[in-house]
């Protein structure tokens, strides 16, 4: 209902929005893969990849800053890569001691670290752009066409649909708990960790039962409309010449990036 | 406890013939709970019938039998076709069952896919499916919502779409389980108008006695797995003794 | 609080080398292929809405947190709960869907490394959890709950260990640093997971004990699961201290397999993905990537095909004929 | 659209003094939707006040402010204590908030555990907790249900337990969000009797205009985030223009 925050899709009518979802998925994955294949320190290629991203952004009608702003949410993950600084052999830049280990920051390590952060930043922005210009149901159709097993795409379609129903339910449960999390005046409140964990577990169990029973009712509703073990959908997507043209252009660009990166 | 005698066969002016016949239906849940104890019921073409009764009377259980989701002892006939395992798919296309909670009914990501689900499973060709979806959405006045995502709709809108999902199967009978629950007065009013307009036989379970009074010429009262009264709504609503005996109230 | 809880185990793109990512994808795809055919056999047509809603449940349940210490909070990851309640194979599919949506919709974990993420957080957790649970199915409630608690903790540790190993195999961290760091951190997360899982299972036992019967009765390959569970447990218990105190042994193995270049010289920065018999580092990297992609595509294609053929037949459709073509063939 | 002027201060015969004061409360949801646009409201001890208005008027949003689950711009005072971050736990023990769906409120396996949650969280000693649970269950006439599993109760029973879960915290004000939704007539009647008996200040949001008429001397009408009328129920229910303007109906 109100969990709109879950929907990353932005409604516009741009060239990118109208592009066939299959093309969008394949190009996005190719772009991310291409980033992963670029060597460390291929600054020119990184620049080209960034240009690709900016062009795609321009086609999307979202405003140039959109993916850039959103990507900061994913950036804290980059800290995980900090270990790279010390693990790649090379010329030592600085050294320190922590607990029982000696750490040496090397030039190669630094290069790798910066490269990883840039590459993963590029990749995250592409993923953000993909879901911002493709409605999730279309994305699911695209994966269906790309031969992801139907049962998985169906589970994902259900997950997407009931995500909103169940997260609303969780929000209400959390609010109910919150509103009874009181204290008598001047008293310490909250109970022990074990008790709190138990309450959280009870809430999960409660939610589990309700989800389970809901799935029963959904199954009934499906039976009532003729379900017999197969899910059928009409698929409204068709590949036009325009889609192929975009795909071709994108692949040429990505190939060029690889070329620049390696030679 | 004085109980009006069930009237097993009532012919209303607009009736053309029997659409639905239920004869002596018994059912127990796997845990042993007896939910239906000999239900007999006839519905004629064009009938709009209310099904009332306290919580746990067995209304929902009865409705789940009408298109073979539950299987009890007894006979069910739809347009002369006896319900059995072999003709379940045909029966299911004839009985349009709408559940209380539209979130249970709308399980596809988009409105279009949901309304198309029934016709697709009937094996219709694509053009027919599209035509049916369009006309079903028109019938509930929601044509503009075709490409919307189900989870962004309001309860009243969801309710209408849920009705469209079964209308698209061109059912002979529409069976609605508590359609007005949880609607605000405005949405409720618009649902009443919709149900009044739909030219289709319907059986509607509800706790909303004012809805019964406004919309349904005939009422069936259930309690404890049995039909305890079946007759003209105005007669039943006048029978205070009957109403209080079965946990109901005059509107 | 309208976000999916960020989990430290979700690896973003480019944190693993291409080779490691693709190997993980291969393992994941093969396992999922088995899982798909098994769930088709055991659950029948009812599986689709059940698993779909359960996936949404896992997703939503991850939002239920409880304050632990100093402002941190614990919440459910859900692998063990899913495996216990739905059986191991269905549990794996459900967890896969959850991780896929977290990666796709929320960029919580990358796309190329999604295979690794599914392996760590979905497949391993379900396998460990169900394996240990399966071994105490007949026992009394206390034993069961205790084992479930241990299984939940171990499942998190197994995921953490495998994440650490993947990062190390990618040449992005030193074994003696990454293993203890990941395990130390996740020991606490695992503690929260154990508490919530036990409480949730206890709740289900008290209210609807019949539900827990269902997933477990389908115990195909029951003994196999016990073996898997015990084996994975042993690996976690034995490998973790070994990896953190005596990394040289593992390094040797990895070097021999061609994962890690032992050379401390100029080719250092490119350690990671090489095909050992190729001389030129850069060329070998490309070849490795291409081979990996082809392998993955082939596997995806084959499993997709075989699933498609099986689907119509395996669904238990006692009263309806299932002759219609599955989704893929009904494109306009 | 003619709108009755809000009456900001009404003293009813049984009033003893202010329990709750809300002054110029504004609130927008994070997505930018403005839900409250300057709400001012006083509740006196012993008041039983109905809060009505169409879907989306902001009733639930207002209620969530009263014990600090949402935090808007404006002032809220409870028994003279100004609501702020520091005294949230104390405020929460003074405002008993009951949600529309009892399933949201009952998250423990047994009735006892659920009713004990509030007192336990307040850090009371065990004997006190037990005493409070007992008296709360007595107040809603559900003493016999202490050891039952919440999951298996009927909706009406769940509703009563949900009320008990906040009564056990000895609140100064009871805030109920659509308590009669989804109840059958019998359960609804028994809820009405219960609310009538409880000697406690209460603010109740509802779409059930007959409930309003029967139970509440005073009614507050909300629409679009504002209070558009506040006065004696009998006056408001007579004002047809006001009612239709805000999507309401005369009972
Ligand atoms: N799955 C089930 N297993 C066992 N008993 C059940 C099940 N579903 C319903 N019942 C019982 O069967 C009886 C009839 O239930 P049913 O849901 O048909 O009542 P209803 O008339 O629809 O009530 P309501 O007005 O509350 O919807 C009730 O006593 C109920 O407890
Ligand atoms: N979490 C949320 N995020 C954004 N908007 C919200 C959120 N919750 C509610 N709203 C919006 O705020 C407005 C007020 O909602 P609220 O739930 O308070 O209405 P209400 O009067 O309780 O309605 P109802 O009678 O349907 O319960 C509505 O327009 C609603 O769409
Ligand atoms: Mg019912
Ligand atoms: Mg509300």
């Amino acid at each position: 209902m109100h969990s709109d925050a879950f929907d990353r899709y932005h409604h516009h009518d741009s060239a990118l929005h109208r592009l066939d979802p299959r093309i969008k998925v394949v190009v996005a994955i190719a772009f991310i893969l291409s980033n992963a294949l670029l060597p460390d320190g291929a600054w020119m290629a990184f620049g080209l990849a960034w240009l690709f991203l900016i062009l795609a952004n321009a086609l999307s009608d979202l405003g140039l800053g959109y993916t850039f702003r959103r990507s900061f949410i994913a950036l804290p993950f980059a800290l995980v890569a900090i270990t790279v600084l010390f693990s790649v052999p090379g010329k030592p830049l600085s050294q320190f001691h922590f607990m029982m280990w000696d750490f040496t920051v090397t030039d190669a390590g630094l290069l790798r670290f910066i490269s990883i952060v840039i590459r993963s930043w590029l990749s995250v922005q592409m993923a953000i752009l993909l879901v911002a210009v493709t409605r999730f149901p279309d994305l699911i159709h695209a994966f269906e066409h790309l031969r992801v097993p139907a049962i998985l795409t169906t589970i994902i379609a259900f997950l997407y649909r009931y995500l909103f129903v169940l997260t609303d339910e969780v929000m209400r449960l959390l609010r109910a708990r919150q509103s009874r999390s009181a204290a008598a005046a001047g008293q310490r409140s909250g109970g022990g960790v074990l008790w709190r964990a138990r309450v959280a577990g009870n809430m999960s169990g409660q939610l589990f039962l309700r989800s389970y029973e809901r799935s029963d009712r959904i199954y009934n509703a499906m039976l009532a409309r003729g379900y017999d073990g197969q899910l059928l959908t009409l698929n409204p997507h068709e590949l036009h010449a325009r889609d192929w043209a975009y795909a071709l252009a994108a692949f040429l660009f990505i190939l060029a990036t690889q070329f620049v990166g390696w030679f | 406890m004085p109980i009006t005698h069930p009237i097993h066969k009532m012919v209303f002016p607009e009736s053309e013939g029997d659409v639905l016949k239920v004869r002596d239906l018994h059912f127990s849940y796997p845990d042993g709970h007896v939910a239906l104890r000999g239900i007999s019921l006839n519905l004629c073409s064009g009938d709009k019938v209310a099904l009332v009764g306290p919580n746990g009377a067995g209304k929902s259980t009865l409705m789940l039998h009408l298109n073979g989701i539950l299987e009890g002892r007894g006979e069910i006939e739809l347009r002369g076709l006896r319900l059995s395992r072999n003709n379940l798919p045909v029966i299911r296309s004839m009985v349009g069952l709408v559940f209380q909670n539209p979130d249970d009914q709308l399980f596809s990501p988009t409105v279009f896919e949901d309304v198309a689900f029934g016709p697709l499973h009937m094996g219709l060709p694509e053009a027919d499916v599209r035509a049916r979806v369009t006309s079903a959405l028109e019938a509930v006045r929601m044509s503009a919502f075709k490409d919307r995502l189900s989870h962004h709709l309001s309860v009243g809108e969801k309710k209408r779409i849920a009705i469209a999902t079964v209308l698209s199967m061109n059912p002979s009978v529409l069976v609605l389980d508590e359609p007005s629950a949880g609607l605000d007065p405005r949405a409720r009013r618009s649902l009443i108008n919709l149900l009044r307009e739909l030219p289709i036989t319907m059986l509607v379970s509800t706790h909303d006695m004012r809805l019964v009074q406004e919309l349904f010429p005939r009422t069936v009262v259930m309690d404890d797995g049995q039909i305890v009264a079946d007759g003209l709504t105005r007669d039943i609503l006048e029978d205070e003794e009957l109403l209080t005996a079965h946990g109901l109230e005059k509107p | 609080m309208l976000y999916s809880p960020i989990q430290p185990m979700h690896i973003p793109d480019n944190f693993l080398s291409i080779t490691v990512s693709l190997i993980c994808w291969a393992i994941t795809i093969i396992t999922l292929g088995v899982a798909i055919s098994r769930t088709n056999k055991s659950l029948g047509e009812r599986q689709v809405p059940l698993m779909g809603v359960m996936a949404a449940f896992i997703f939503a349940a991850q939002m239920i947190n409880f304050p632990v210490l100093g402002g941190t909070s614990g919440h459910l990851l859900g692998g063990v709960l899913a495996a216990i309640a739905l059986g191991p194979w269905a549990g794996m599919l459900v967890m896969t869907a959850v991780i896929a949506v977290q990666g796709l919709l929320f960029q919580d974990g990358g796309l190329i490394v999604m295979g690794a993420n599914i392996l760590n957080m979905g497949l391993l957790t379900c396998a460990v959890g169900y394996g240990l649970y399966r071994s105490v199915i007949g026992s009394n409630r206390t034993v069961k709950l205790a084992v479930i608690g241990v299984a939940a903790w171990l499942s998190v540790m197994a995921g953490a260990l495998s994440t650490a190993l993947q990062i190390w195999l990618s040449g992005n961290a030193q074994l003696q640093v990454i293993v203890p760091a990941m395990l130390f951190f996740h020991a606490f997360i695992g503690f929260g997971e154990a508490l919530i899982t036990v409480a949730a299972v206890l709740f289900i036992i008290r209210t609807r004990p019949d539900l827990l019967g269902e997933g477990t009765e389908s115990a195909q390959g029951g003994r196999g699961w016990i073996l898997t569970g015990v084996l994975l447990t042993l690996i976690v218990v034995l490998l973790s201290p070994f990896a953190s105190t005596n990394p040289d042994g593992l390094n040797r193995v990895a070097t021999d397999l061609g994962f890690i270049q032992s050379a401390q010289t100029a080719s250092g920065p490119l350690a990671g993905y090489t095909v050992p018999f190729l001389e030129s580092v850069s060329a070998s990297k490309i070849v490795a990537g291409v081979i990996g992609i082809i392998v993955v595509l082939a596997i995806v294609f084959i499993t997709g095909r075989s699933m498609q053929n099986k689907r119509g037949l395996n669904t238990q459709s006692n009263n309806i004929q299932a002759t219609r073509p599955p989704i893929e063939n009904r494109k306009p």
Side-chain angles (χ1 to χ4, degrees), chain C residues 240-254:
Chain C
S240 313
F242 180 69
S244 28
T245 56
N246 187 8
D248 293 341
L250 279 180
N251 258 325
R252 157 73 35 73
V253 177

Side-chain angles (χ1 to χ4, degrees), chain A residues 1-5 168 171 175, chain B residues 155 182-185, chain C residues 2:
Chain A
M1 261 198 309
H2 295 303
S3 309
D4 292 6
D168 268 0
M171 296 295 290
R175 277 176 176 168
Chain B
V155 197
L183 295 184
D184 73 356
Chain C
L2 284 174

